[in-house]
Amino acid sequence: MADGGANVVDPYSTNIETHLVVFTPSGIRGRFEAGTPILDAARSLGVDIDSVCGGRGICGRCQVNLVEGKFAKHGLTSSSDSLSPFAEAEDKFRERRGLKVGRRLSCHATLEADAVIDVPSSSQVHKQVIVKDLDDRKIEMDPAIRLHYVTVQEPDMHNPTGDFERLCMALEQQWGLTGLECDLRTLQSLQKALRKGEWSVTVAVHRELRITAIWSGFHSAAYGLAVDVGSTTIAMHLCDLSTGNVLATSGMMNPQIRFGEDLMSRVSYVMMNPGGEEVLTKIVRDGINKLIKNVTTSAGIDPMDVLNAVFVGNPIMHHLLLGIDPTELGGAPFALTTNTGLTVWATELDLDSNPDGRVYFLPCIAGHVGADTTAVILSEAPHLQEKVTLIVDVGTNAELVLGNNQRMLTASSPTGPAFEGAQIACGQRAAPGAIERVRIDPNTLKSRFKVIGCDLWSDEPGFKEEISAFGVTGICGSGIIEALAEMYLAGILTTDGVIDGSQVDSNPYIVPEGRTFAFVMHENAESPIKVYQTDVRAIQLAKAALHAGAKLLMDRFGVETVDRILLTGAFGSHIDIKYAMILGMIPDCDLEEVKAIGNAAGVGARIALLNQNARDEAEELIRQVEKIETAIEPGFQQYFIDAMALPHKTEKYENLSKEVTLPTPRVSGGENNLEGARRRRRRRQ
Amino acid sequence: MADGGANVVDPYSTNIETHLVVFTPSGIRGRFEAGTPILDAARSLGVDIDSVCGGRGICGRCQVNLVEGKFAKHGLTSSSDSLSPFAEAEDKFRERRGLKVGRRLSCHATLEADAVIDVPSSSQVHKQVIVKDLDDRKIEMDPAIRLHYVTVQEPDMHNPTGDFERLCMALEQQWGLTGLECDLRTLQSLQKALRKGEWSVTVAVHRELRITAIWSGFHSAAYGLAVDVGSTTIAMHLCDLSTGNVLATSGMMNPQIRFGEDLMSRVSYVMMNPGGEEVLTKIVRDGINKLIKNVTTSAGIDPMDVLNAVFVGNPIMHHLLLGIDPTELGGAPFALTTNTGLTVWATELDLDSNPDGRVYFLPCIAGHVGADTTAVILSEAPHLQEKVTLIVDVGTNAELVLGNNQRMLTASSPTGPAFEGAQIACGQRAAPGAIERVRIDPNTLKSRFKVIGCDLWSDEPGFKEEISAFGVTGICGSGIIEALAEMYLAGILTTDGVIDGSQVDSNPYIVPEGRTFAFVMHENAESPIKVYQTDVRAIQLAKAALHAGAKLLMDRFGVETVDRILLTGAFGSHIDIKYAMILGMIPDCDLEEVKAIGNAAGVGARIALLNQNARDEAEELIRQVEKIETAIEPGFQQYFIDAMALPHKTEKYENLSKEVTLPTPRVSGGENNLEGARRRRRRRQ
């Protein structure tokens, strides 16, 4: 931008012809001399208009619309004569890049009479962008990396200074940036860039502190990555740092899975194999590099233009990504290396993006509560609401967040891997062929089900053909929840969680299994799919741990009930909330206020990528969050025992069970939503 | 240290028994309760006592002496009972490391009666160390890297925080350091170091901002490098960052010499060979790594304990070391990449020392005036004196600094390489066999000389035998200066610089050479060594450039004469000042005030290594220094022409020449000094 040339004119001065300009939607107004560029007028009034090229008619970020008509409220008439005719730069820009009808480049259109100027959202620096599809969560753009086009004074023997010093002078004069430092690689390419660009260059500035990249001439491409590194899957979004748009998404199984499905077996691998952490670090970084290749190829962009990234993950993934041995997280007292947010160089992580790109890690909260939970908090912002929210992220551990704008608590509950289909006889990871939906006829006890990879119920025509490629291979985590809840509703399970053997002789689906009984869900598979008494016990333990953790937090917070429950993570998205409540996994809550929120950690990572203040906010918040360690809480054990019963008895659950056991199968609205979320999730991977 | 436990006691309180303690040499005094550790008393009074271990009796840095006797001035008697008996920790320390008689560890010796305590210089944090042998220049120790031993709270599930956060807490409580950041490699080794050290670690902190290294337990080794990277030679000092002592010194020819003796031919190499700058960068860094190996091996220390370095060099060496293409420095307007001081990681320069060690580059001043000149200014501190000082560093260019505490100017004069023996028919680099001292008998015109590598004059017995390994190979820079001056004094040269041919038929040492004449200095070499008319012209041009540059600065400064002239660099150390004045190389000055100061750039590098504030001082100063570019100064040309005459006529020179042309050869005191400086220099290499 020009160096603040436009000042608001003193309206009482009669010597100078001035015109009124009103900017919408802000309503900010001021009087300026005829001939003042609209961008200068906007800047001097503090109206938020973007510009990378600094008013040179190159970047096209400062587009505005002239609004014509009489505006009694503002006491002015705005007409096509209010602005100067199209400037040469505007014509050139229109030829080269196109310009919508009515649009002007505010850096070249000048004020010639009273005018009303609309600044479209896309022209605002701090525009609002939607970062969350489910509830249209918006965030203000304020990325940590910004590009600035500057024209630098040529060197002069009469006044010798370094090229870097002249660059800094230009950045101060043209962009108000002071005291900048510079990465060595940028310094190494500085002189060539300046001369190739004929003394005009674009620089990337990180957090208004340090120049991290330089290009000769005008450069407008700046991208960022939001990466959620889970123990099972890694998901990456490539975002445009100017619009906030997601340009490409890619996901993969975490390649560390070959060292163990669950995190603790990976920690064991490290403990038993000296240097094993380096192997695990390399393999996950390699995986991330594959995703970088995927998203940059898919979006058709240069990986060198990836200038920023935000990583979130559980503490063990967080440590391994950073090349930190996670052994300490494998046993009490589960000490994190750090619970502060960290910024490192892309090159320090061996990433195949710009080596001087900065990678930000959101802070972990405690030994079991990671940066992914921090990201979930950023996404859902329970700390900004009066309602008391419980957020549940179920994996091998359940991470729990409880709180509101007064107080925030977190804990991790040792659910074990039962919810992920492990420790279940016919259990399996969510994959094609796994049963994920179950209905049991309370009269015949015959099961109907759906498997992942097929939209038909098992009793619908064509089911067999559609699943022929993979068959019915097992039950996934959400499937086992439904199976147990339906078994309970059909009277197969007692409230103590015992498979009732009274019909063993009369019903083909109840079969003896040692001293206990099993329920046959599907007999036509290669090996029949049954629910055993041990499976019920495993789920009972897991759900009791989850429930007890939530109760403990509520007890500490001093509430009997919560206003809102959010289920996040893969499991949380796939589970039918009603069944979770029937089993007593989560505390009492109005069913309307229980929601699956999909991959909130990924959303939180995007928020931290697009808005630098969100990082500081998260770090500050994490310092204040009360960290509850269930393992050493005296009350936890009693809550745990109390929560073993199935279902947990309350009137609400009684009503709920009636509502759910409708005689005919149906696809509820809620289920539709979850399916939608799941599809979206699959597309991303 | 203990967390500020000792406070000065209110002397009017009668309930508590207190004793007076007086610290010498500072004279600071205070009253403390009986049993107060002396270190705590000192700290609370602001007495400067060192400690790395924080009062644990490990490091031995806090040693003091009890001074016994009656001190009427202080109104006290100090006796052997003034301090507690030897503590166990002191006994252990004495057994392990030894303790001089009378010395106590002030962290464990407690005050039991009035006492006078002497803090020896070696126990002061900010002790004065001698950094310059020639005039005992002292500097206060305040290195950029300091070690701190801390005991960190163990992790606790009741209050989960990261290990790094607990380390920071300990550093704040025990050392008053706040807001520290941490290098990734340190973070990666943090947890293991804490546990191996049983929660006691030593950290290195850079400029009170960032932790750059960590060791389990107590670690007291911290070293730094002061490196002067010249175009011909590289010299490295390894310093102990706690005592300031030089532990080892090593030097080498700059391995870039194979790409050209002078800098411009190296720049030409880069211009003509794409990627040539990378070759030159690698080769000089490899050379520096050899020196690192030399000095660390010689001192018997671990290169991983080298935590800091300061590099100085001319602009082209500065750029090449940093991996910056020096092409822009090869032609007008000679733009530097930067004239700011830079701190980079050792790993960014591929150094074989601690990868997270920091390397500081003193700022360059202008395209021809480098960080070596900045270091010379730091060493000689002309900006702190009232006397107007001219500093001359002669190489291919002569860097000139003129100024005092009011104003500082610099310039570079294009002397060309004649002073280095180039462009001289029989010229050569200073190396064994090169003539460096010359005396001519004014009657016979027969020369006597000395060559490098032999202490005998050429007419002394045994000379031939001593030089048989290399012979008489040519004339080096200081030799040609003496030759010309002696030729003038012997009447062989006219004041216009013409070799007088009037004796061509009568004297065997004057021979015709085309239309001019030559002077035969030595005829017994394989090829006779002669001074040609073109040689005289080359030296005339060089000395005129040097003199004109000095005059230009004096003109700008507004002085007719300077108070002091300092000659630095190899040439400045080797030259006989009187002959330089006879030739008119430097302006008029009292001969007593003209000194060769040896490798002042290396001293400046050591100062910046040992005192971090010197870096900031240099950066601030360099911003204010007036940079004069001789090439575009209208007055320069006239000064240049005026300075061509030989010798430059003044009464002083008349006197001087008389004084010098004593009939018999002698070794003057001044020459002795220079020889001494030269020997010292040779030992370092």
Side-chain angles (χ1 to χ4, degrees):
Chain A
M1 74 182 138
D3 182 18
N7 290 314
V8 183
V9 170
D10 175 2
Y12 301 102
S13 159
T14 50
N15 296 333
I16 305 161
E17 189 193 9
T18 65
H19 303 295
L20 180 64
V21 58
V22 180
F23 289 97
T24 61
S26 63
I28 295 170
R29 50 157 66 199
R31 296 197 76 88
F32 294 89
E33 283 182 47
T36 302
I38 296 301
L39 179 60
D40 290 358
R43 297 258 167 160
S44 70
L45 291 169
V47 172
D48 180 25
I49 300 189
D50 198 5
S51 173
V52 170
C53 72
R56 292 172 181 81
I58 305 172
C59 70
R61 294 274 174 85
C62 69
Q63 295 179 29
V64 294
N65 291 310
L66 175 69
V67 187
E68 295 184 39
K70 277 204 171 185
F71 299 90
K73 182 177 149 199
H74 301 301
L76 61 77
T77 302
S78 177
S79 76
S80 58
D81 296 334
S82 296
L83 295 182
S84 54
F86 254 64
E88 199 184 327
E90 292 177 280
D91 284 329
K92 273 191 187 164
F93 183 85
R94 181 162 54 186
E95 273 169 40
R96 214 176 62 245
R97 310 237 330 246
L99 201 56
K100 277 188 198 164
V101 175
R103 285 281 175 95
R104 299 294 301 269
L105 297 186
S106 64
C107 59
H108 278 77
T110 60
L111 189 68
E112 302 300 341
D114 291 353
V116 173
I117 302 289
D118 183 57
V119 182
S121 155
S122 58
S123 296
Q124 296 167 15
V125 183
H126 300 287
K127 50 186 150 285
Q128 302 278 324
V129 294
I130 295 172
V131 286
K132 206 173 136 191
D133 348 69
L134 289 178
D135 62 1
D136 284 3
R137 172 84 194 273
K138 283 179 184 169
I139 180 158
E140 184 183 295
M141 285 298 290
D142 186 12
I145 292 278
R146 286 209 64 195
L147 300 183
H148 300 282
Y149 178 73
V150 276
T151 301
V152 177
Q153 195 188 310
E154 289 191 38
D156 175 2
M157 286 172 77
H158 290 273
N159 183 20
T161 56
D163 281 355
F164 175 65
E165 286 68 32
R166 272 175 281 105
L167 172 64
C168 286
M169 226 188 303
L171 283 165
E172 180 165 355
Q173 285 166 357
Q174 294 164 46
W175 293 100
L177 295 164
T178 55
L180 293 180
E181 297 192 328
C182 187
D183 288 354
L184 181 56
R185 262 179 291 259
T186 296
L187 214 52
Q188 287 166 345
S189 55
L190 173 65
Q191 295 200 309
K192 285 206 170 67
L194 282 168
R195 283 150 187 87
K196 195 178 160 204
E198 291 172 352
W199 304 99
S200 290
V201 291
T202 307
V203 294
V205 178
H206 181 247
R207 302 215 70 170
E208 300 185 8
L209 290 173
R210 206 166 157 104
I211 300 172
T212 62
I214 188 165
W215 298 266
S216 56
F218 178 70
H219 184 95
S220 66
Y223 305 102
L225 304 171
V227 192
D228 176 17
V229 187
S231 36
T232 310
T233 56
I234 306 176
M236 179 182 287
H237 300 295
L238 174 72
C239 297
D240 185 318
L241 291 181
S242 123
T243 63
N245 293 340
V246 174
L247 303 183
T249 292
S250 185
M252 72 191 310
M253 297 298 289
N254 187 328
Q256 289 180 346
I257 277 185
R258 83 169 92 132
F259 296 93
E261 289 258 342
D262 64 298
L263 287 169
M264 282 307 148
S265 40
R266 294 181 213 168
V267 175
S268 303
Y269 173 82
V270 171
M271 288 172 168
M272 277 145 61
N273 297 276
E277 75 276 13
E278 287 166 29
V279 177
L280 288 174
T281 293
K282 181 169 190 320
I283 208 172
V284 67
R285 291 181 181 172
D286 285 350
I288 284 163
N289 278 333
K290 274 184 201 156
L291 293 182
I292 291 175
K293 197 173 177 197
N294 287 355
V295 293
T296 52
T297 307
S298 148
I301 69 140
D302 183 348
M304 286 303 109
D305 289 337
V306 174
L307 304 175
N308 203 196
V310 171
F311 279 60
V312 302
N314 58 60
I316 291 173
M317 291 314 306
H318 170 276
H319 278 44
L320 283 172
L321 271 166
L322 283 164
I324 300 172
D325 185 331
T327 300
E328 290 305 320
L329 299 170
F334 309 103
L336 288 167
T337 292
T338 176
N339 60 9
T340 306
L342 285 176
T343 301
V344 300
W345 265 243
T347 187
E348 290 187 289
L349 304 182
D350 301 321
L351 298 190
D352 294 340
S353 50
N354 190 308
D356 290 325
R358 296 302 197 273
V359 181
Y360 177 75
F361 286 79
L362 272 166
C364 290
I365 303 175
H368 287 125
V369 188
D372 46 356
T373 302
T374 308
V376 168
I377 294 175
L378 262 191
S379 166
E380 302 308 318
H383 59 293
L384 301 180
Q385 304 175 31
E386 272 187 48
K387 279 186 180 179
V388 177
T389 303
L390 174 69
I391 306 179
V392 181
D393 185 355
V394 179
T396 304
N397 288 305
E399 281 87 56
L400 300 166
V401 175
L402 179 76
N404 64 359
N405 54 12
Q406 299 300 312
R407 194 175 165 195
M408 293 282 294
L409 301 98
T410 64
S412 161
S413 252
T415 54
F419 290 145
E420 294 180 320
Q423 295 179 345
I424 304 295
C426 297
Q428 71 159 88
R429 206 169 56 213
I435 293 172
E436 57 167 350
R437 294 275 168 267
V438 180
R439 297 292 179 272
I440 301 173
D441 184 316
N443 300 317
T444 64
L445 305 193
K446 184 175 166 57
S447 303
R448 305 159 55 243
F449 53 84
K450 272 181 152 182
V451 300
I452 295 174
C454 173
D455 283 339
L456 300 173
W457 284 89
S458 60
D459 58 352
E460 288 183 286
F463 175 77
K464 271 190 189 157
E465 292 70 23
E466 281 219 7
I467 64 158
S468 60
F470 38 81
V472 179
T473 50
I475 314 174
C476 72
S478 56
I480 193 75
I481 299 298
E482 292 206 5
L484 261 58
E486 284 280 329
M487 282 165 71
Y488 171 72
L489 295 172
I492 300 165
L493 281 184
T494 69
T495 53
D496 291 336
V498 173
I499 297 178
D500 182 6
S502 58
Q503 298 186 59
V504 66
D505 297 327
S506 60
N507 188 298
Y509 303 110
I510 307 292
V511 296
E513 195 69 38
R515 291 182 187 182
T516 60
F517 300 93
F519 172 66
V520 181
M521 194 179 294
H522 181 53
E523 49 200 341
N524 297 332
E526 270 181 43
S527 50
I529 291 171
K530 300 180 197 175
V531 177
Y532 297 88
Q533 186 59 54
T534 49
D535 299 340
V536 181
R537 290 284 175 245
I539 292 294
Q540 269 182 292
L541 290 169
K543 75 108 190 175
L546 178 52
H547 194 100
K551 281 303 249 187
L552 182 68
L553 289 188
M554 290 160 68
D555 190 32
R556 280 297 197 89
F557 194 92
V559 287
E560 292 285 317
T561 57
V562 298
D563 299 326
R564 202 166 67 124
I565 298 180
L566 306 176
L567 301 172
T568 182
F571 181 79
S573 304
H574 296 175
I575 202 171
D576 187 318
I577 291 161
K578 295 183 304 297
Y579 290 113
M581 296 204 87
I582 289 168
L583 280 193
M585 284 175 67
I586 47 177
D588 296 353
C589 187
D590 181 353
L591 197 60
E592 286 292 307
E593 293 293 335
V594 184
K595 278 185 197 154
I597 50 171
N599 179 18
V603 174
R606 269 186 69 205
I607 291 173
L609 178 66
L610 300 180
N611 185 300
Q612 55 182 328
N613 293 323
R615 304 177 185 186
D616 305 335
E617 181 191 325
E619 292 187 27
E620 181 55 32
L621 181 65
I622 286 336
R623 271 192 286 276
Q624 292 162 6
V625 164
E626 296 167 55
K627 295 100 184 170
I628 312 297
E629 183 57 63
T630 53
I632 54 167
E633 281 291 328
F636 184 73
Q637 204 59 24
Q638 192 55 50
Y639 286 128
F640 184 79
I641 294 163
D642 292 348
M644 280 292 285
L646 186 147
H648 197 71
K649 293 286 182 193
T650 74
E651 265 190 30
K652 267 188 190 158
Y653 289 117
E654 299 289 332
N655 295 337
L656 200 61
S657 55
K658 276 178 207 141
E659 185 195 324
V660 172
T661 52
L662 292 170
T664 49
R666 81 223 138 73
V667 179
S668 74
E671 192 169 347
N672 261 337
N673 278 345
L674 291 177
E675 288 292 332
R678 181 184 229 169
R679 272 194 302 278
R680 275 191 294 277
R681 189 178 158 76
R682 280 193 190 138
R683 264 203 309 276
R684 280 176 193 163
Q685 287 172 357
Chain B
M1 75 180 142
D3 181 17
N7 289 314
V8 183
V9 170
D10 176 1
Y12 300 103
S13 160
T14 51
N15 297 331
I16 306 161
E17 191 193 6
T18 65
H19 304 296
L20 180 65
V21 59
V22 179
F23 289 96
T24 61
S26 61
I28 297 172
R29 51 158 63 199
R31 295 195 77 87
F32 294 89
E33 283 182 49
T36 302
I38 298 300
L39 180 61
D40 289 359
R43 298 258 167 159
S44 69
L45 292 170
V47 173
D48 179 27
I49 299 189
D50 198 5
S51 173
V52 170
C53 72
R56 292 172 183 83
I58 305 171
C59 70
R61 296 272 175 86
C62 68
Q63 296 179 29
V64 294
N65 292 309
L66 175 68
V67 185
E68 296 183 41
K70 277 203 171 188
F71 298 91
K73 180 178 149 199
H74 302 302
L76 61 77
T77 302
S78 178
S79 76
S80 58
D81 296 331
S82 296
L83 295 181
S84 54
F86 255 66
E88 199 186 325
E90 293 177 277
D91 285 328
K92 273 192 187 163
F93 183 85
R94 181 164 50 186
E95 273 169 42
R96 215 176 59 245
R97 312 234 330 245
L99 200 56
K100 278 189 198 164
V101 176
R103 285 282 175 95
R104 299 293 304 267
L105 297 186
S106 64
C107 57
H108 278 74
T110 61
L111 189 67
E112 303 302 339
D114 291 354
V116 173
I117 302 289
D118 182 58
V119 183
S121 154
S122 57
S123 296
Q124 294 168 14
V125 182
H126 301 286
K127 51 186 151 284
Q128 302 278 325
V129 294
I130 295 173
V131 287
K132 208 174 137 191
D133 350 69
L134 290 179
D135 62 0
D136 284 2
R137 171 84 194 274
K138 284 180 185 169
I139 181 158
E140 184 183 293
M141 285 298 292
D142 185 13
I145 291 277
R146 285 210 63 195
L147 300 183
H148 300 282
Y149 177 72
V150 277
T151 302
V152 177
Q153 196 188 310
E154 290 191 37
D156 175 1
M157 286 172 78
H158 290 274
N159 184 19
T161 55
D163 282 354
F164 175 65
E165 285 69 31
R166 271 175 284 105
L167 171 64
C168 287
M169 227 186 302
L171 283 165
E172 180 164 356
Q173 285 166 358
Q174 295 164 45
W175 293 101
L177 294 163
T178 56
L180 293 180
E181 297 192 329
C182 189
D183 286 356
L184 182 55
R185 261 178 293 259
T186 297
L187 215 50
Q188 286 166 346
S189 56
L190 173 65
Q191 295 201 306
K192 284 203 173 69
L194 282 168
R195 282 150 190 85
K196 196 177 158 206
E198 292 174 350
W199 304 99
S200 289
V201 292
T202 307
V203 295
V205 178
H206 181 248
R207 302 216 72 169
E208 301 185 7
L209 290 173
R210 206 168 159 105
I211 301 172
T212 62
I214 188 165
W215 298 267
S216 56
F218 178 70
H219 184 97
S220 66
Y223 305 104
L225 305 171
V227 193
D228 175 18
V229 187
S231 37
T232 309
T233 56
I234 306 177
M236 178 182 290
H237 299 294
L238 174 71
C239 297
D240 185 317
L241 291 182
S242 121
T243 63
N245 293 338
V246 174
L247 304 184
T249 292
S250 187
M252 72 192 308
M253 296 298 288
N254 187 329
Q256 288 180 348
I257 276 186
R258 83 170 90 132
F259 296 94
E261 289 256 343
D262 64 299
L263 287 168
M264 282 306 149
S265 38
R266 296 180 212 169
V267 175
S268 303
Y269 174 82
V270 170
M271 287 171 166
M272 276 145 61
N273 296 276
E277 74 277 14
E278 287 165 30
V279 176
L280 288 174
T281 293
K282 182 169 187 321
I283 208 170
V284 67
R285 290 180 181 173
D286 285 350
I288 284 163
N289 279 333
K290 273 183 203 156
L291 292 182
I292 291 176
K293 200 174 172 196
N294 289 355
V295 293
T296 54
T297 306
S298 149
I301 68 140
D302 183 348
M304 285 305 107
D305 289 336
V306 174
L307 305 175
N308 203 195
V310 171
F311 280 60
V312 302
N314 60 59
I316 290 172
M317 290 314 305
H318 169 278
H319 278 44
L320 282 171
L321 271 168
L322 283 164
I324 300 172
D325 185 332
T327 300
E328 289 306 322
L329 299 170
F334 308 102
L336 288 168
T337 292
T338 176
N339 59 9
T340 306
L342 284 176
T343 301
V344 300
W345 266 244
T347 187
E348 289 187 289
L349 302 182
D350 301 322
L351 297 190
D352 295 339
S353 51
N354 190 309
D356 290 325
R358 298 299 198 274
V359 181
Y360 177 74
F361 286 78
L362 273 167
C364 290
I365 302 176
H368 286 126
V369 187
D372 46 356
T373 302
T374 308
V376 168
I377 295 175
L378 261 191
S379 166
E380 303 308 319
H383 59 293
L384 302 180
Q385 304 174 29
E386 271 184 49
K387 280 186 180 177
V388 177
T389 304
L390 173 70
I391 306 179
V392 180
D393 185 355
V394 178
T396 305
N397 288 305
E399 283 87 54
L400 300 165
V401 175
L402 179 75
N404 63 1
N405 55 11
Q406 300 299 313
R407 193 174 167 197
M408 294 283 293
L409 300 98
T410 66
S412 163
S413 253
T415 53
F419 289 144
E420 294 178 319
Q423 295 179 349
I424 304 295
C426 296
Q428 71 161 88
R429 201 167 60 212
I435 293 172
E436 58 168 350
R437 296 270 169 272
V438 179
R439 298 289 179 275
I440 300 173
D441 184 315
N443 301 316
T444 63
L445 304 192
K446 183 174 166 57
S447 302
R448 304 160 56 244
F449 52 86
K450 273 181 151 184
V451 299
I452 296 175
C454 174
D455 284 338
L456 300 173
W457 283 91
S458 60
D459 57 352
E460 289 182 283
F463 175 78
K464 271 191 188 155
E465 293 68 27
E466 281 217 10
I467 65 157
S468 60
F470 38 81
V472 179
T473 49
I475 313 173
C476 72
S478 55
I480 194 76
I481 298 300
E482 293 205 7
L484 262 57
E486 284 279 329
M487 282 167 72
Y488 170 72
L489 295 173
I492 302 166
L493 281 185
T494 69
T495 54
D496 292 338
V498 175
I499 298 177
D500 180 7
S502 57
Q503 299 187 60
V504 66
D505 296 326
S506 58
N507 190 298
Y509 304 110
I510 307 292
V511 295
E513 194 70 39
R515 293 184 186 180
T516 60
F517 301 92
F519 171 67
V520 181
M521 195 177 298
H522 181 54
E523 48 199 345
N524 299 330
E526 272 180 41
S527 49
I529 292 173
K530 302 181 194 172
V531 177
Y532 295 87
Q533 185 60 55
T534 50
D535 300 340
V536 181
R537 290 283 176 244
I539 292 294
Q540 270 184 292
L541 288 169
K543 74 108 192 177
L546 178 51
H547 194 101
K551 282 303 246 185
L552 181 68
L553 289 188
M554 290 160 69
D555 190 32
R556 279 297 195 94
F557 193 94
V559 286
E560 291 286 318
T561 58
V562 297
D563 300 324
R564 203 167 66 125
I565 298 180
L566 306 176
L567 300 172
T568 183
F571 181 78
S573 303
H574 297 173
I575 202 172
D576 186 319
I577 290 162
K578 296 183 302 298
Y579 290 113
M581 296 204 86
I582 289 169
L583 279 194
M585 282 176 69
I586 47 178
D588 295 353
C589 186
D590 180 354
L591 197 60
E592 286 293 304
E593 293 293 335
V594 183
K595 278 185 197 155
I597 50 171
N599 180 16
V603 174
R606 269 185 70 205
I607 291 172
L609 178 66
L610 300 180
N611 186 300
Q612 54 182 327
N613 294 323
R615 304 178 185 184
D616 305 336
E617 181 191 325
E619 293 187 27
E620 181 56 30
L621 180 65
I622 285 339
R623 271 191 287 276
Q624 293 162 6
V625 164
E626 296 166 55
K627 294 102 187 167
I628 311 298
E629 183 59 63
T630 51
I632 54 170
E633 282 291 328
F636 184 74
Q637 205 58 26
Q638 192 54 51
Y639 285 127
F640 185 80
I641 293 161
D642 290 348
M644 279 292 284
L646 188 146
H648 196 71
K649 294 286 184 195
T650 74
E651 267 191 27
K652 267 188 192 160
Y653 289 116
E654 301 288 332
N655 294 336
L656 201 61
S657 53
K658 275 176 211 147
E659 185 193 325
V660 171
T661 50
L662 293 170
T664 49
R666 82 221 137 76
V667 179
S668 74
E671 192 169 345
N672 262 337
N673 279 345
L674 290 174
E675 287 294 328
R678 181 184 230 172
R679 272 196 301 279
R680 276 191 293 278
R681 190 179 158 77
R682 279 193 189 139
R683 266 204 306 277
R684 283 178 192 160
Q685 287 173 0

